[in-house]
Every structure is written in C-alpha cells, then in structure tokens.
Amino acid sequence: MKTYVLYNSKSNNNTGRQGAEKLREIWKTRDLEFADTIEFGSYESFFAKLSPDDEVCICGGDGTLNYFINSIDCDSVKNKVYYFPTGSGNDFWNDLEKKQGDAPEQINKYIKDLPTVTVNGKTSKFINGIGYGIDGYCCEEGDRQKEKSDKPINYTSIAIKGLLFHYKPTNAEVEVDGKKFSFKKAWLAPTMKGRFYGGGMMATPHQNRLDPDKNVTCMVMNGAGKIRTLIAFPSIFKGEHVKKKIVHVMKGKHVKVRFDRPVALQIDGETVLNVSEYEVNV
C-alpha cells in the first residue's frame, strides 16, 4: 500500500511542496510518495492507475479542493482520500473543527453528493459556499492586490473599506425551493454547503455539510446603511450576525439569487466577475 501526497507546487505563494513535506513528521510509518499535480496530468488518469488499497492525500487550500471535486467523479472514488491544509484560508478545515498542524482527515464522505452552482452558463460543484455581494468584491480586490504584491491579503480590511467607500449594495431577488423573496440594499447573499467562507467568516453557523436532507443555506444581509452594516459585520466571524434583524436565513435544495446589477462572485474562494445571478441545485 502506498500513500500518494498530491500537492500544487505553485499554491500558497509557491510553497506547496514545503507545506506537503510536513506530512513526513505526521505520517512517519506510511510509505509516502509525493506528486506535483501540475506535472502528473489529470486526476481521472491518476486514480485509474491506483491499487484498491492505495491512499491519496490532497494538500492545498479551499481552491485546491474545489479543483479536485470538479476534476473527478468523487462519488465513484473507491480509494481513501485524505486532506491536509496548506493553503491560506482553509475554511473547509475550520468547518471540520480542525486546527493547523492536525493530522490529515479522511474526506470521502464530504466530497460525495455535492451541490452545484450555475454562473454565467457554467455549472460546477462547490464544497464550501458561494459568496455574492461584498464578499465577492473582497475576492476581486484581493486578486488585484495579489497581482501587485506577495504580501498576505487582509480581507477584513478590504471588507471594511468596501463597506465604507467602494461597494454599493444591490436589490436582490431570492428564490428558495419555489418561495420568492425581495430584498432592498443587499450587502451579502451567499449560499453555503458548510459554515465558513472568506477565510474564517461563519456565514451560516447552523449549516451542516453532512445534513441528511442535503439542504444548503442562503443568508442575506440587507436593509441597513453603511455604518449600521459596518457595526454588524464583525459578528459574522462568530456567527452571531444571524441574530440581527438585518439578516435573513433560508434553507433549501434549490436557490436562485439575482442582483439588479452585475457584481463579482466567489466559489470556494475563486473569483468570477460580472455576475447578475447564480443558481444552486442539490
């Protein structure tokens, strides 16, 4: 039996290999073989060559996980698949209530029966959530800063400046399992498979990624001006924002969100620009 450690050498500012190497200290008794995902080709061809008792450990961040789940039919994978976080945000790892440095976690049950999101005519699976509103703006601005500097991105600072100066709320039409809602001055309208997104924001504290009914949760923050929204915003890091009147939570299997102007959106941390609506199906 072999344990294949798959990493992206360019992830986390080209430190992907270094992060993966930490497994040598954690899994001292396993026969580890490292492979750079940039070099080995497709996940489909890689898994097809494995023996039934071989194991795979995916190293990276939320974006790495998103790429993996969209590159292979996870429902048909027979080998044990583990995950070890070496990214920057690690929202999936937080949702599992794990800490940096903990041993890898087997994730086969978490990568099956995932919801899909359709954006600008393209449908893909997601493992954490869809961010739409100022959260999408934060990813867009973060991408701009990454192009100019290798310094860590402070998304909290971006959000605060966006709330105060740069981002304008939209009107939103939301449909959840056939029920339609209208929201004025929507700042956030994510739909979540897990609880966390955006590098530590607990957008939907009561969402269970292993919900037996497979529901997702749509959360809308709306109706307040800049200052009131700014005061409420920090509570999202502890999930306490859902207690406030400006927050609305809806569960279901089909969610459609439409804004009255196109804005940026993020899927598991990956930015999509100029989006007027998205649709989630379980």
Side-chain angles (χ1 to χ4, degrees), residues 220-234:
V220 178
M221 180 182 287
N222 83 299
K226 293 182 177 182
I227 301 303
R228 187 178 169 200
T229 304
L230 182 61
I231 292 171
F233 191 78

Side-chain angles (χ1 to χ4, degrees), residues 65-86:
L65 278 176
N66 181 273
Y67 182 78
F68 173 69
I69 63 174
N70 282 290
S71 299
I72 192 170
D73 178 11
C74 296
D75 296 326
S76 65
V77 170
K78 305 299 182 185
N79 301 83
K80 287 184 179 180
V81 179
Y82 292 83
Y83 173 66
F84 183 65
T86 59

Side-chain angles (χ1 to χ4, degrees), residues 121-148:
K122 179 183 177 181
T123 300
S124 59
K125 292 181 284 186
F126 64 96
I127 198 164
N128 291 326
I130 312 304
Y132 197 34
I134 196 167
D135 38 5
Y137 161 81
C138 290
C139 287
E140 180 182 13
E141 180 60 26
D143 289 346
R144 287 197 194 100
Q145 294 185 15
K146 287 177 184 177
E147 290 177 358
K148 299 176 181 178

Side-chain angles (χ1 to χ4, degrees), residues 1-7 31-59 67-68 71-73 76-82:
M1 182 188 80
K2 274 188 175 295
T3 300
Y4 291 90
V5 179
L6 309 185
Y7 65 93
D31 181 13
L32 303 182
E33 183 166 326
F34 290 75
D36 189 342
T37 55
I38 294 177
E39 299 174 355
F40 75 55
S42 72
Y43 280 110
E44 291 279 3
S45 60
F46 180 83
F47 272 81
K49 298 174 183 176
L50 298 180
S51 299
D53 59 346
D54 287 338
E55 301 174 329
V56 174
C57 183
I58 308 294
C59 294
Y67 182 78
F68 173 69
S71 299
I72 192 170
D73 178 11
S76 65
V77 170
K78 305 299 182 185
N79 301 83
K80 287 184 179 180
V81 179
Y82 292 83

Side-chain angles (χ1 to χ4, degrees), residues 177-237:
D177 289 352
K179 296 180 180 179
K180 297 181 179 181
F181 309 86
S182 295
F183 299 98
K184 300 290 186 182
K185 295 173 66 175
W187 294 94
L188 294 170
T191 295
M192 304 293 295
K193 172 67 173 175
R195 293 175 297 162
F196 291 91
Y197 77 158
M201 292 190 288
M202 196 189 298
T204 50
H206 303 300
Q207 170 65 19
N208 174 13
R209 67 170 57 250
L210 293 179
D211 178 9
D213 294 325
K214 299 183 175 64
N215 287 320
V216 292
T217 300
C218 179
M219 181 273 288
V220 178
M221 180 182 287
N222 83 299
K226 293 182 177 182
I227 301 303
R228 187 178 169 200
T229 304
L230 182 61
I231 292 171
F233 191 78
S235 62
I236 198 172
F237 288 93

